[in-house]
Amino acid sequence: MLFPTLDFAVFFLAVFALAWALRSKPIARKALLLFASYFFYGYWDWRFCFLLLGASLIAWFAGIALARTSSDTPRRWIVGIAVGLLLVILGFFKYFGFFLDSLGDMFRQLGIERDLPLMVVILPVGISFFTFQAISYVVDVYRDEIEAQRSPLDLLLYVSFFPQLVAGPIVRASDFLPQLRVRPRLTRFMLSYGLVLVVVGLVKKMVVANWLATHLVDDVFLVPDTYDTPTLILAAYGYAVQIYCDFSGYSDIAIGTAALLGYHFRENFRQPYRAASLQEFWRRWHISLSQWLRDYLYKPLGGSRGSHLATYRNLFLTMFLGGLWHGAAYNFVIWGAMHGAALGVERAVRERLTRRPGGSPDAAFKRIAWGPRPWHGHGLVSVLAVLATFHFVTLAWIFFRSENFETALAFLSGLAAMTGSFEAWTPFHLVLVFLPLAFHFTPHDLDLRLGRAIRRWPTAAIALAFAAGLVIIQLIAPPGTAPFIYFQF
Amino acid sequence: MAAAPPRSATRNAGPGRHRARRPHDTAANVRAGLVIFLTAFAGLALFRSGDLVSVTYDLPPGESSEAVVSVAETWDGWMRALGTAELGEAIVETVGAFASGEMFAPTDPGEDDGDRPGTNEESAGEDAG
């Protein structure tokens, strides 16, 4: 079930009414939300529900086993087996097809003709997201950061809760499970803030991302060698904006719908294209995944505790594996490797600047050297740093978006050719690309401020504004409903 | 001299302010939420009644589905008579014209529709060949 559809609207209206009717019966309310979440997920394919249930039960049993064991070695075995099982499930669905194709290619190159088993593995929607949540729960219990859940209901709901089930944000058990233990409430602010986020998310997804996809990006990335340089530049910018609006739009709707049901999720995007360094970019982009990679991959690899070389290696490996997580394809690997290598170089430059003999680095370089700082008020260097970061990220997106390595190379060749005119830069494209970028330089809590302002309005005014917002979105969005980009991961 | 009422009380008094006095009343906020959602449904039904008909066509065949389709078509007919459906469609067409650039391009009936702005003509020609 996709968010911007009538099916979801009817589904959510029913869930909203029933969940609040069961407010004083916590077990019944959680059971209802669990049923609704499985219904939401099973709407794609009911067989996927067994996978979701399996992953949740692995995490629940592992949590119970960890709670009953105090010695180190058995606890390590338990966490190892549980995480291993979850990764095997994820790996099978994500990489089995690639593995079989590669094996077939290898046999052919060796001159051996073999009939490999024909098996088409359908990738279940959002498998990575619920697997990551299950892994984070098991590891957090192992690290004694949270208590194991006795109630399977709470844990099943945590893993499957429908607003964030298929594309995040990746919610931590320590954030969500305590919310299930208290009586939920819907304040006027939660209501207005939730509605604001739903409208903002729908505008980002249905209007900006869908128009950019159908009217610019998809065509250009299909056959980049038939387009001139200015169109390729516009398409590259367009994709940077499209993926941001698509993904953060989903997160906004997820956080908004959760707020309407009485639950708080943390923000997942924070104006990422205003980042003045890559380190800052990853603190603003898909924050829940960046933090997940930091806590469950980068730190276990050693983080920045070892030598400089070990830190660069860990940074590179984290981003490289993050790229590979998106799919078994060279373009994702190159995307991850580019970010990993650039983060390492950025860190090396930062360390070099801060250790310069003869005092502290220049004030201008400090801002790049010492990570996140506001982009404004720091003169030309900060502006250049923001532009450089944005263009590096956009360049890496070309590999991420291209169907294969050859298409990415054709795109880059076209960019280097410097031919053509700016005829394709229509006012419509310019609005779609540059208006969302301009919003990156507004106050970061604009949606919160809007929510606070709207909560004082009479209900009739909010109702009319919300209805007008939805009608306008429907009227100005392109026809059809495109799936969210991150569903495939 | 009589004590003045607290500032917050005077600020919240008056018509249209009754909600602000109890921002944490969950039941009242849930009712408000339902009113808001139903208003949004009504708005969509007014201006996008054609979409409503399209959705009902996707329902599984059956007597009840036919009844739903019939209701949706009747509703769409009313909205067309009222003019709201046409207004919505006019906005959709205007946005489409803006998106395709027709709104800015000079009308030239002899122009070849196959040429896309921004294409590399040589490469496109090679591909076509």
Side-chain angles (χ1 to χ4, degrees), chain A residues 83 135 139 142-143 291-305 310 313-314 317-318:
Chain A
V83 172
I135 289 174
V139 175
Y142 169 73
R143 290 174 177 169
Q291 289 177 345
W292 193 96
L293 290 172
R294 182 196 66 198
D295 292 346
Y296 302 105
L297 190 58
Y298 178 66
K299 284 183 179 172
L301 282 169
S304 53
R305 290 192 302 272
R313 180 203 64 199
N314 296 338
L317 273 177
T318 303

Side-chain angles (χ1 to χ4, degrees), chain A residues 6-7 9-10 12-13 16-17 20 23 184-189 191 195 211 215 219 223 225-228 231 260 419 423-424 426-429 431 456-459 462-464 466-467 470-471 474-476, chain B residues 11 16-17 19-20 23-30 32-41 43-44 47-48 51-52 55 88-89 91-92 95-96 98-101 104 116-121 123-124 127:
Chain A
L6 184 66
D7 297 8
V10 173
F12 185 74
L13 182 67
F16 179 83
W20 286 113
R23 183 181 173 228
R185 60 185 194 137
L186 184 67
T187 63
R188 192 73 174 172
F189 172 69
L191 177 67
L195 294 172
W211 269 120
H215 219 254
D219 289 345
V223 275
D225 45 357
T226 63
Y227 289 90
D228 57 17
T231 311
L260 291 170
T419 56
E423 202 184 334
T426 64
F428 183 66
H429 288 138
V431 168
R456 301 189 192 287
W457 294 7
T459 299
I462 300 178
L464 287 175
F466 184 67
L470 291 197
V471 169
Q474 280 286 333
L475 293 176
I476 64 175
Chain B
R11 259 178 37 187
R17 293 285 190 184
R19 291 289 175 219
H24 300 303
D25 183 346
T26 294
N29 293 327
V30 170
L34 287 171
V35 168
I36 290 164
F37 294 141
L38 292 174
T39 309
F41 273 109
L44 290 171
F47 291 92
R48 300 293 284 173
D51 285 358
L52 212 58
V55 169
E89 283 165 7
I91 294 171
V92 170
V95 174
F98 180 50
S100 63
F104 306 100
R116 291 168 297 170
T119 48
N120 185 336
E121 284 174 21
S123 307
D127 278 5

Side-chain angles (χ1 to χ4, degrees), chain A residues 329-331 398-399 401-409:
Chain A
Y330 291 114
N331 46 336
I398 292 172
F399 287 95
R401 173 61 181 81
S402 298
E403 284 299 313
N404 49 48
F405 187 59
E406 288 72 30
T407 313
L409 283 186

Side-chain angles (χ1 to χ4, degrees), chain A residues 167-284:
Chain A
I170 300 167
V171 179
R172 295 296 177 87
S174 54
D175 282 339
F176 186 70
L177 290 171
Q179 296 186 52
L180 293 180
R181 292 184 207 118
V182 296
R183 189 178 158 103
R185 60 185 194 137
L186 184 67
T187 63
R188 192 73 174 172
F189 172 69
M190 287 168 85
L191 177 67
S192 57
Y193 181 55
L195 294 172
V196 165
L197 284 181
V198 168
V199 170
V200 169
L202 288 174
V203 169
K204 283 180 180 173
K205 167 60 186 165
M206 288 180 71
V207 181
V208 182
N210 283 2
W211 269 120
L212 279 170
T214 56
H215 219 254
L216 175 69
V217 174
D218 288 355
D219 289 345
V220 176
F221 273 88
L222 188 65
V223 275
D225 45 357
T226 63
Y227 289 90
D228 57 17
T229 305
T231 311
L232 292 172
I233 293 171
L234 188 68
Y237 286 155
Y239 185 64
V241 173
Q242 185 205 336
I243 193 168
Y244 164 71
C245 286
D246 192 290
F247 199 6
S248 73
Y250 186 93
S251 287
D252 288 341
I253 301 170
I255 296 168
T257 49
L260 291 170
L261 291 170
Y263 301 106
H264 169 72
F265 289 171
R266 291 188 195 186
E267 70 176 340
N268 207 25
F269 288 85
R270 197 175 205 193
Q271 299 173 313
Y273 294 140
R274 70 189 277 178
S277 66
L278 271 183
Q279 185 194 42
E280 187 185 353
F281 174 78
W282 283 107
R283 286 178 183 172
R284 291 172 174 274

